[in-house]
Amino acid sequence: MASMKCAARPATKSRAVPISSRSWRMAACPRRTIQLKEAGLPMGFGTDLLGQLHKYQSMEFEIRAKVLTAHDILYSASRVSSRLCMMENQIGVISEGAYADFVVVNGNPLEDVTILSRPEKSLAAIVRGGKFYKNTLAA
């Protein structure tokens, strides 16, 4: 199976590429996203950036927004991801019997999905299992 990495690491004199020099990946990711969409392959959202890389987790919204509609991105992050995790109708939906996991957003992600790439500013509430983990909503 072919690797799904966005791009090969550029040749550098040192072995490590500084975290701040991510432009080489940003340029290739939209092209790969188009290829996946044209092939009809499901694209879930990744949540695997940990430690010092975690701050880049939400950049996926910005990368995908270059080539996909906001609806496609939100569908991918919810319904497609739930299907890929074999948890369809348990997560990625708001319905009776599903886990009560959702976010309340300041703004309309259907108009500008990139607001989700700034969770510290855009997430007014985070609910997991029916309990608030963050709540800045006015009473």
Side-chain angles (χ1 to χ4, degrees):
M1 179 177 268
S3 172
M4 295 309 293
K5 291 184 180 176
C6 288
R9 188 169 290 228
T12 61
K13 292 182 181 180
S14 66
R15 297 170 104 193
V17 175
I19 286 295
S20 61
S21 67
R22 299 173 57 84
S23 59
W24 60 273
R25 279 189 256 172
M26 294 288 284
C29 288
R31 183 176 64 246
R32 298 287 187 250
T33 302
I34 291 169
Q35 290 171 338
L36 290 169
K37 182 177 174 137
E38 288 175 350
L41 296 172
M43 292 179 278
F45 252 60
T47 57
D48 55 351
L49 292 179
L50 303 172
Q52 68 181 7
L53 296 177
H54 186 73
K55 62 184 174 184
Y56 299 109
Q57 183 68 44
S58 299
M59 286 179 69
E60 191 166 355
F61 289 103
E62 292 179 19
I63 294 168
R64 289 187 185 203
K66 293 179 181 184
V67 294
L68 299 174
T69 67
H71 177 269
D72 287 345
I73 295 167
L74 295 171
Y75 187 80
S76 173
S78 56
R79 298 295 291 162
V80 173
S81 291
S82 71
R83 188 171 47 242
L84 292 173
C85 292
M86 294 185 283
M87 296 185 74
E88 200 167 7
N89 299 320
Q90 296 174 49
I91 60 173
V93 295
I94 297 176
S95 65
E96 188 175 341
Y99 291 93
D101 298 349
F102 61 92
V103 295
V104 178
V105 181
N106 292 318
N108 184 348
L110 287 172
E111 292 175 5
D112 179 13
V113 75
T114 65
I115 65 172
L116 296 173
S117 65
R118 300 176 298 281
E120 66 286 345
K121 294 179 182 177
S122 66
L123 296 184
I126 301 171
V127 179
R128 183 170 180 215
K131 297 179 182 177
F132 279 91
Y133 282 81
K134 176 182 179 178
N135 187 358
T136 62
L137 300 170

